[in-house]
Amino acid sequence: MKAISIFLIILLPALVFAQSYKRHMVRADRVSIELSKGVLELIPLSEKAIRVQWHKNGIREAQEIILINKVPVPKFTVTSTLGQLKITTRSLQVVFSKNNGALTFADSNGKAFLQEKAGSRTLRADSVSGEDCFVAEQSFLSTNGEALFGLGQFQDGNFNLRNVSRKLTQVNTQIAIPFLYSSKNYGILWHQYGLTYFNPADSAVALVASNTITTGKKADAEVTTTAGTQRVSQQQAVYRGEFKIGRNGNYSFLLDLGDMDNRHLVVIDGVAQIDQSNLWLPPSVGKLVYLNAGVHTVQIVCKATNKPKLTWKPADNLTTFRSPNAKALDYVIFRGNNADEVIGNYRKLSGEVPMLPLWAYGFWQCRERYTSGNHLVETIKEFRKRNLPVDVIVQDWQYWGKYGWGVPKFDEANYPDPKGFIEHLHDLNAHFSVSVWENLDKRSDVAKPYIAKNLYIPNSPWIDIFNPETQKVHWNALDTNLFANGVDSWWMDATEPENDALTGKQTYLGPGNFYRLIYPLFVSKAVYEGQRRSDPQKRVAILTRSAFAGQQRYGTINWSGDIGWSWDTYKRQIVAGLNYNMTGMPYWTTDIGGFFRPGRSQYTDPQYHDLLTRWFQWGTFNPIFRVHGYQSETEPWKYGEAVEKNMKKMLVLRYQLLPYIYSSAWQVSANGSTLMRPLVMDFATDQKAVEQRYEYLFGKSMLVAPVTEAGIKELEVYLPQSTIWYDWWSEKQYNGGQVIKTDAPQDKIPVFIKAGAIIPVGPPMQYAKEKTADTLDIRIYSGANGTFELYEDEDDNYNYEKGKFNLIPFSWNNATKILTIGPSAGKPFPGKLKARIFNIVLINGKSKADAHNSKQLRYNGERLTTKVE
């Protein structure tokens, strides 16, 4: 609309309409609806996104933290009738009912895809730390067959989140991002910065502590804490209770222990419904359970220092958000034809994803911990000696030694020449990542500038990263002591901050309760913007333990925290990663093999080797490929010849796939794509595909089906409908829409390629830039038309933002068997290849493709067509 304000004031007879509606006003960028209690604003953000805000008593959130990109207001029209008010953009319709106050969201044809539950929009007055606020709540109707995904990274194992109860807090192993994606092709951003309950369960089970027990031999356990390695008691308590339900059905339970725990055990009627053990577990966990009407008994085991709360609710097919510390009710609806449109539209408003350096897509070698500069160098030398590809080596905590906890400075006792050992790593064609924290010792010299400017949160060990001055001082400390020595990447640990530490604190922005989810975003902002100021030619690569909505704009990678090492834990990481990637965050990884591991036996135990090998295979097809382990030597050769051989096979494959992976990463940055893709993203109409919790697409062509059980030699895999699939290894052809049984020997992970796929494959390499891409295999999988864009740039600067890249389009016509390679696009850059060789390999299921049935093409950047049979 034009930048003018139009005022329409409609006075309505009280006898005709509900008292909630009084009048509305149309402005240049929104429609304001005056209600009897507050003002409801409908704000078109784009043609496919609309923001809903309800505020009253003049209380508003002043901080715009997520939706920072200002785009032109889309054209919209407003029509008013006796019973409704309709706001229409080119792609969306939003209807406000004057009778019951509820909103309905529909596509351009008027077909509804989401509805508020009438009467569920509430703002209940409250206060935090003496500041007025509200308990904000909104419910939506969930339609039959709908599946819901996202909300971040959780360890509860829930994949489809419909009817599941969750408490969204930031803690080790759990990342809370209030973005939800529906299989009906829409997304909801619940726009709150504080604690949020998803599908809150309000019926409580009365629990009584019956006795105290200790597990094992009553020995204390050694764990990682912010104060260093400490011994934490394993003492636990048993609670019992009972509850009564009136009808058969599914019930959603939420166990809330208050603080992190090491045991989640909920036994209902003698059946363990929730059962996890690890030295760190999130404070809360949810589960859907089917129960018959009647009285039920429950037992809970947790740490004796925690006080469990178990609540439940019937599965009512509502999607409800509740934030107890809100300044207004605020959410955004995104609509698209598919997941990429929904997530891409969300990123356009909250920040696009920058390209990571090419080397970041290689292998990251990490352990807890390397003890000296020489230790790091010798490890990379051994990788090179054994011809094991690697690009990054990571220094975990405690390199600071005498300087104090969390101080970003190398203790000269073990790191006498930081610049020297990092240069040595660079000479070995490796990159260096280092662990940094935001709770550095206040007694250290490095902390003096923070102390002098009061940049710590009062009564807290954590710096107040919300303060712009803190961000500058913090980056200066990292720059002076680490980046100036050649550090390539940042491993930002405990950025939640650890243990939900903002509760009850006063921050630069205000009471911490209002902002307890957003600390990690500001840490990432400080480092990303700081490094780009210091060296705009070196891409930022941040590995961090926590995240919040919008953080993708700072080039961050997340990992799933200090997890355990069981098969169950491994499977939960797959589910956690798939849901995390549905929140717009495209870069994610885990500690391959688990952070907490089975001690010395890990090096010789065949059963653990089975798990480690399968986990490593799956990690090969994660956006970021990284191993880690607590008090463990995680290098491949530490586990014997057989494990090393299997790992090497996966490492070689990862590096051969770098042209495919890097090109797919460009689609993330340029076109809103996602690398790790739950099947709902590409097969939303195939209900069986949507239900697959351990299968996904890696890029848009490769279906990955990791082995998730011990001792497996064959695996059942569901191949989605409407396409043909090819086994990556054997090139055998299968029709989609069926479950097949495929070979899964110890050295292979089942991978299938979609018909029409065009996949570039490079030569084996020891590091990402060892060889130029002047000769590539181009694999074409027949059976459907297909396209692919091969992307290249300078690998590690931001010139691509100025158009300095090379984009080569491939197009396959399956009917004519014609491959077209279009003219290359993009501005020149140093090292841009002027000519190259493409070995065209057609896979058609008739015979295994090899060099004897490929066709070699010389390409010089101009359009080229060829028939391939």
Side-chain angles (χ1 to χ4, degrees), residues 169-245:
T169 53
Q170 308 285 35
V171 294
N172 190 346
T173 77
Q174 178 173 295
I175 301 173
I177 300 175
F179 184 89
L180 192 70
Y181 177 77
S182 167
S183 60
K184 303 301 182 182
N185 296 328
Y186 69 85
I188 303 175
L189 172 66
W190 182 250
H191 199 280
Q192 297 290 342
Y193 308 145
L195 170 66
T196 292
Y197 290 92
F198 178 71
N199 294 335
D202 294 326
S203 297
V205 178
L207 298 172
V208 177
S210 58
N211 69 310
T212 300
I213 63 172
T214 54
T215 59
K217 298 179 181 180
K218 299 185 180 181
D220 290 349
E222 197 173 66
V223 298
T224 304
T225 71
T226 55
T229 300
Q230 296 184 3
R231 303 189 73 81
V232 178
S233 173
Q234 292 287 287
Q235 193 174 55
Q236 298 178 328
V238 177
Y239 287 79
R240 290 184 168 86
E242 64 177 38
F243 60 97
K244 183 178 181 180
I245 58 175

Side-chain angles (χ1 to χ4, degrees), residues 576-590:
L578 293 179
N579 268 312
Y580 182 77
N581 278 265
M582 293 299 292
T583 65
M585 304 288 179
Y587 294 120
W588 183 86
T589 182
T590 72

Side-chain angles (χ1 to χ4, degrees), residues 428-633:
L428 292 166
N429 298 295
H431 294 82
F432 180 62
S433 182
V434 65
S435 172
V436 294
W437 296 60
E438 283 68 52
N439 60 340
L440 56 165
D441 194 328
K442 295 179 181 180
R443 298 167 295 181
S444 68
D445 289 340
V446 175
K448 287 181 179 179
Y450 300 84
I451 298 292
K453 297 182 178 182
N454 295 317
L455 300 181
Y456 279 84
I457 295 173
N459 303 311
S460 170
W462 301 95
I463 60 175
D464 192 346
I465 201 68
F466 301 129
N467 189 332
E469 184 63 24
T470 309
Q471 296 167 30
K472 294 177 183 177
V473 170
H474 193 48
W475 169 250
N476 184 63
L478 301 183
D479 189 9
T480 302
N481 298 302
L482 298 175
F483 191 63
N485 289 321
V487 165
D488 301 296
S489 167
W490 308 99
W491 181 12
M492 303 193 312
D493 213 340
T495 50
E496 297 86 5
E498 195 164 68
N499 296 326
D500 200 14
L502 296 184
T503 308
K505 304 298 183 183
Q506 187 68 26
T507 75
Y508 175 82
L509 296 180
N513 295 63
F514 288 126
Y515 306 106
R516 63 196 276 189
L517 298 186
I518 67 174
Y519 193 92
L521 182 145
F522 279 83
V523 179
S524 300
K525 177 180 186 291
V527 174
Y528 179 82
E529 294 180 349
Q531 183 179 316
R532 289 205 66 166
R533 287 193 303 268
S534 294
D535 186 353
Q537 292 302 306
K538 188 171 185 175
R539 289 185 199 170
V540 184
I542 295 171
L543 177 68
T544 178
R545 202 171 74 184
S546 195
F548 188 68
Q551 191 167 304
Q552 75 280 348
R553 61 184 179 253
Y554 299 127
T556 56
I557 306 158
N558 280 89
W559 92 99
S560 57
D562 297 348
I563 54 174
W565 58 273
S566 67
W567 284 96
D568 180 62
T569 300
Y570 161 49
K571 289 191 289 187
R572 290 174 188 270
Q573 302 322 299
I574 300 173
V575 173
L578 293 179
N579 268 312
Y580 182 77
N581 278 265
M582 293 299 292
T583 65
M585 304 288 179
Y587 294 120
W588 183 86
T589 182
T590 72
D591 292 353
I592 292 175
F595 179 68
F596 295 114
R597 295 182 173 209
R600 297 300 304 175
S601 66
Q602 67 181 288
Y603 308 111
T604 57
D605 182 1
Q607 292 182 332
Y608 179 72
H609 290 177
D610 185 15
L611 170 63
L612 177 62
T613 299
R614 296 306 193 182
W615 205 324
F616 198 89
Q617 290 170 352
W618 171 58
T620 306
F621 294 93
N622 277 200
I624 302 298
F625 187 16
R626 168 184 164 274
V627 71
H628 189 40
Y630 176 64
Q631 294 189 343
S632 298
E633 301 175 61

Side-chain angles (χ1 to χ4, degrees), residues 67 104 114 134 282 366 434 502 507 546 592 740 763 814 824 839 866:
L67 306 175
T104 298
L114 179 65
F134 299 98
C366 186
V434 65
L502 296 184
T507 75
S546 195
I592 292 175
I740 67 163
N814 192 67
S824 63
N839 294 315
T866 186

Side-chain angles (χ1 to χ4, degrees), residues 129-374:
S129 300
E131 188 168 327
D132 290 339
C133 67
F134 299 98
V135 179
E137 182 169 337
Q138 180 69 69
S139 295
F140 303 89
L141 304 177
S142 183
T143 59
N144 291 335
E146 182 176 33
L148 299 170
F149 305 93
L151 294 187
Q153 168 196 282
F154 283 73
Q155 299 297 324
D156 57 20
N158 292 302
F159 184 46
N160 180 355
L161 305 181
R162 186 177 179 181
N163 290 319
V164 171
S165 295
R166 278 183 170 171
K167 181 182 180 182
L168 274 61
T169 53
Q170 308 285 35
V171 294
N172 190 346
T173 77
Q174 178 173 295
I175 301 173
I177 300 175
F179 184 89
L180 192 70
Y181 177 77
S182 167
S183 60
K184 303 301 182 182
N185 296 328
Y186 69 85
I188 303 175
L189 172 66
W190 182 250
H191 199 280
Q192 297 290 342
Y193 308 145
L195 170 66
T196 292
Y197 290 92
F198 178 71
N199 294 335
D202 294 326
S203 297
V205 178
L207 298 172
V208 177
S210 58
N211 69 310
T212 300
I213 63 172
T214 54
T215 59
K217 298 179 181 180
K218 299 185 180 181
D220 290 349
E222 197 173 66
V223 298
T224 304
T225 71
T226 55
T229 300
Q230 296 184 3
R231 303 189 73 81
V232 178
S233 173
Q234 292 287 287
Q235 193 174 55
Q236 298 178 328
V238 177
Y239 287 79
R240 290 184 168 86
E242 64 177 38
F243 60 97
K244 183 178 181 180
I245 58 175
R247 59 177 176 83
N248 300 351
N250 283 313
Y251 289 81
S252 184
F253 288 84
L254 183 69
L255 173 66
D256 189 350
L257 302 173
D259 291 314
M260 295 195 73
D261 210 296
N262 51 36
R263 192 79 171 101
H264 286 168
L265 181 60
V266 177
V267 179
I268 300 177
D269 300 332
V271 178
Q273 298 291 351
I274 299 173
D275 189 1
Q276 288 190 74
S277 295
N278 188 40
L279 288 178
W280 292 124
L281 287 172
S284 62
V285 58
K287 180 70 181 290
L288 276 174
V289 181
Y290 184 88
L291 295 173
N292 293 321
V295 177
H296 299 272
T297 61
V298 62
Q299 295 181 78
I300 294 173
V301 174
C302 65
K303 287 167 61 174
T305 53
N306 278 345
K307 293 182 179 181
K309 180 181 180 182
L310 184 68
T311 56
W312 59 272
K313 67 184 290 290
D316 51 14
N317 295 327
L318 292 177
T319 298
T320 301
F321 292 90
R322 178 191 295 164
S323 293
N325 307 131
K327 296 184 179 180
L329 190 147
D330 192 352
Y331 67 86
V332 184
I333 301 300
F334 298 89
R335 174 67 175 176
N337 294 317
N338 52 53
D340 284 338
E341 282 193 11
V342 172
I343 292 173
N345 195 12
Y346 160 64
R347 289 196 195 134
K348 285 179 182 178
L349 296 171
S350 62
E352 300 287 5
V353 180
M355 288 290 291
L356 296 176
L358 176 65
W359 52 260
Y361 301 97
F363 180 62
W364 295 52
Q365 171 59 35
C366 186
R367 62 185 270 187
E368 199 280 317
R369 64 186 175 84
Y370 293 105
T371 57
S372 68
N374 185 63

